[in-house]
Amino acid sequence: MTMIKKGMTTTFVALAMAATAFTAAPALAAGKMTISSPQDPGSWDPIDTFLVQWAAVATNIFDGLTYRGPDLKVVPGLAESWEELDEGKRIRFKLRQNVKFHNGEPFNAAAVKFTFERLLGEQGAKGPQRSNYVAIESVDVIDDYTVDMKLKAPDPVLLTKLAGYGGMIVPPAYITEKGEDNFNLNPVGTGAFKFVSYAPKTNIKLEANPDYWGGAPKLSELEYRFIAEPATAVAELQAGRVDLVIPPTIPIGMIPVIEGDSKLEIVSVPGPTVDALRFNTRDGITADPKVRKAIIMAVDRGTIVKSILAGQASEIASFQSALSFGYDPALKPLPYDPEGAKKLLAEAGVKAGAALQIDIRGNDATMNEVAQVISSYLSMVGITATIKPYETNVLLNDIIPQGKTGAMFQQKWGGWTFDYDNTAYSMYHSGEKWNPYDKDEKLDKLLESQRPLTDRAEREKILKEIGSYTAERALEIPLYNTNAIYGINKRVKGFVAPPDNRLKLTDVTVE
């Protein structure tokens, strides 16, 4: 891909598309791959989800205008080139021709316009993706294979956002004819694999799309089995009934089990996923920032990373990884200081034996163990913590968004754009789904001010300020940034582990 400067205009053109982004595969696909995923997203509509487990499947069903693979470089997808105009407030996309959706419907400019009007309209308002794309004012059809995306203000992360989740291009006629509810359960895209069947909480089956514009897949079938229990997933991997177990399934303690099996191996790569226990800042003792800081100081996170996570993670000071744009290496975590924590609790008037509840995902074995250790640390400063596990979808779709959590609740975030805005806006801006408790006018203004900036240095400065400000307010216990840990059968060939769980399996084979 080359970049050609034209005054205030930057044009991106793909010169060696097949070699750069996708590799052509043999026309005759053969073989089946079975994958264990810990969670059924519940809907396959791109605008309904934020879940990495959705992307692990749907990256094979849908395409965006752009694509970002395991190397984290943004390259052309359904748009073969693009041009930034009007000082970044208009992007002209040249679209691929002769591409069809899985139902035979043509991909064209009308499909792009429909996709984004739907995302930014009434239907998109029901889901969690809309706020990531609000910079888009309109999508105008220039001709069948050219669209202009007009922006209210420049969005320096937009081309990355177009590579995933809400930006996936969907078929207008199919959705209009069959309806939204049908599309949730019977997805149609332009991707390398076509939908075959879906049994909620059991599996989803896909088959090769021989006419895929990026080259036919080498596999004929994909099956994703939804196995919430880590021990069961690992047992299925050992038995050969599963070829790949994807993050965050595998507990640290089970890594030696997989490494000890000659047929299997562990693939571990640094990723964007961060874990925190966020605070209910509205109710109870955690409404007091002194108490929140005391709780953070009471927990020895360095020891947790070293002893429980066995080096497969690193401690964090803000809710982002070191790979995130906006990460500030100068920001240090609050130190482990139980005596200081006791002092702050006394100043806040918290009596010994004060109780609080920690809500976690019930199938996250690693967090369950971590939460038990945190409970022990808190008991040493006079706080009695109980741990309440929830079925993951219940916690994420009901308990947290509705503000029904205990004093602390688990938040695991993929940060898939590798840009702090994607995390911070969702976590801290007033009215966002993941921010049911907190309203902070200063923080809202900071979050809003960085979004349109094209000056990377100025934008990075504001993102660092957001990280520092949220740390000062102690909105969560930033715990750790985990590696993406995959368990794989050695008969799988050509697999490249993505740091963000977005599996694209076009070139994979199973011997």
Side-chain angles (χ1 to χ4, degrees):
M1 189 167 61
T2 61
M3 184 170 70
I4 307 167
K5 296 280 187 179
K6 294 183 179 180
M8 294 302 293
T9 301
T10 304
T11 305
F12 293 81
V13 183
L15 294 180
M17 286 297 304
T20 302
F22 301 99
T23 304
L28 296 176
K32 176 182 177 180
M33 184 175 183
T34 303
I35 299 161
S36 171
S37 171
Q39 184 182 8
D40 177 356
S43 169
W44 298 106
D45 187 334
I47 64 176
D48 283 350
T49 189
F50 60 92
L51 296 171
V52 293
Q53 303 310 330
W54 178 90
V57 178
T59 300
N60 295 289
I61 300 173
F62 297 101
D63 293 307
L65 294 175
T66 63
Y67 172 72
R68 192 193 68 192
D71 63 0
L72 305 184
K73 295 178 180 178
V74 175
V75 298
L78 287 174
E80 61 183 16
S81 66
W82 56 85
E83 184 179 11
E84 293 184 356
L85 304 165
D86 302 342
E87 299 183 336
K89 293 186 71 174
R90 178 163 60 100
I91 307 175
R92 174 161 290 183
F93 292 94
K94 291 291 185 180
L95 308 179
R96 291 185 186 280
Q97 300 187 30
N98 303 313
V99 175
K100 290 186 177 181
F101 289 97
H102 299 150
N103 65 333
E105 189 176 333
F107 162 74
N108 52 28
V112 176
K113 183 178 178 66
F114 173 86
T115 293
F116 288 98
E117 289 185 348
R118 178 174 178 264
L119 170 63
L120 296 168
E122 181 180 341
Q123 193 65 29
K126 300 174 184 177
Q129 283 296 331
R130 185 181 182 181
S131 66
N132 283 322
Y133 301 88
V134 290
I136 301 170
E137 183 172 36
S138 65
V139 174
D140 300 333
V141 174
I142 305 304
D143 59 44
D144 280 351
Y145 296 101
T146 309
V147 295
D148 277 2
M149 189 172 284
K150 293 182 180 177
L151 309 181
K152 299 169 187 173
D155 181 345
V157 195
L158 183 60
L159 290 172
T160 298
K161 294 174 185 174
L162 296 178
Y165 296 92
M168 298 290 92
I169 306 302
V170 299
Y174 177 78
I175 292 175
T176 302
E177 179 184 341
K178 301 290 186 179
E180 299 288 349
D181 292 342
N182 177 79
F183 185 58
N184 290 347
L185 304 179
N186 301 274
V188 167
T190 60
F193 289 87
K194 300 187 287 186
F195 171 78
V196 175
S197 66
Y198 169 50
K201 297 188 177 181
T202 301
N203 64 6
I204 182 169
K205 294 182 179 181
L206 312 178
E207 66 182 7
N209 175 10
D211 301 319
Y212 184 52
W213 60 267
K218 295 176 180 178
L219 291 166
S220 56
E221 298 175 70
L222 285 178
E223 179 183 1
Y224 290 78
R225 293 173 56 194
F226 305 120
I227 305 175
E229 175 54 50
T232 303
V234 172
E236 292 294 279
L237 181 68
Q238 290 179 297
R241 290 186 288 269
V242 161
D243 300 303
L244 177 68
V245 177
I246 61 178
T249 301
I250 299 171
I252 301 299
M254 297 193 77
I255 290 177
V257 174
I258 295 172
E259 290 179 329
D261 190 321
S262 62
K263 305 185 302 295
L264 311 176
E265 63 182 333
I266 287 286
V267 180
S268 178
V269 295
T273 300
V274 283
D275 280 81
L277 288 180
R278 303 191 67 210
F279 290 113
N280 178 342
T281 60
R282 184 189 66 197
D283 309 311
I285 61 173
T286 52
D288 188 332
K290 281 188 177 181
V291 174
R292 300 197 297 266
K293 287 184 179 180
I295 290 172
I296 296 171
M297 292 162 63
V299 177
D300 188 349
R301 291 165 286 162
T303 294
I304 288 173
V305 167
K306 185 176 180 180
S307 61
I308 298 179
L309 301 175
Q312 294 286 343
S314 54
E315 194 176 351
I316 55 175
S318 60
F319 200 36
Q320 60 181 320
S321 78
L323 298 172
S324 167
F325 181 75
Y327 172 79
D328 185 357
L331 183 64
K332 303 301 180 187
L334 276 174
Y336 173 53
D337 181 4
E339 293 306 314
K342 290 177 184 177
K343 183 179 177 182
L344 282 177
L345 290 171
E347 290 175 6
V350 176
K351 306 296 184 183
L356 58 76
Q357 178 178 299
I358 302 173
D359 298 340
I360 67 169
R361 302 183 186 188
N363 70 334
D364 189 334
T366 300
M367 178 53 73
N368 197 311
E369 188 175 355
V370 169
Q372 296 289 347
V373 173
I374 288 174
S375 175
S376 296
Y377 278 124
L378 293 181
S379 70
M380 289 188 278
V381 297
I383 293 176
T384 301
T386 57
I387 299 165
K388 185 168 185 178
Y390 283 94
E391 196 276 322
T392 299
N393 283 349
V394 172
L395 180 64
L396 298 182
N397 296 319
D398 180 26
I399 302 301
I400 296 175
Q402 298 300 320
K404 299 188 294 188
T405 72
M408 299 160 69
F409 56 96
Q410 179 189 3
Q411 190 83 61
K412 181 185 289 286
W413 195 253
W416 78 277
T417 61
F418 291 84
D419 188 294
Y420 188 39
D421 168 79
N422 175 254
T423 303
Y425 203 97
S426 297
M427 296 298 120
Y428 309 127
H429 195 280
S430 298
E432 285 293 306
K433 176 177 181 176
W434 304 116
N435 181 25
Y437 300 119
D438 205 62
K439 290 184 172 67
D440 186 321
E441 186 176 345
K442 177 181 177 180
L443 190 48
D444 285 350
K445 287 180 178 178
L446 283 171
L447 289 162
E448 292 160 8
S449 69
Q450 56 80 32
R451 277 203 154 180
L453 295 179
T454 54
D455 184 326
R456 281 178 62 85
E458 180 61 23
R459 187 166 167 271
E460 185 177 34
K461 179 182 175 183
I462 295 173
L463 289 174
K464 287 181 177 180
E465 185 179 351
I466 291 168
S468 177
Y469 183 69
T470 55
E472 175 60 29
R473 287 202 56 218
L475 297 180
E476 65 259 319
I477 305 180
L479 292 171
Y480 41 77
N481 166 215
T482 52
N483 286 0
I485 302 170
Y486 296 83
I488 190 167
N489 193 304
K490 291 178 181 177
R491 68 189 178 195
V492 176
K493 305 298 180 184
F495 174 72
V496 179
D500 55 5
N501 238 24
R502 298 176 68 231
L503 307 179
K504 192 170 182 72
L505 301 170
T506 316
D507 294 327
V508 171
T509 60
V510 177
E511 293 181 348

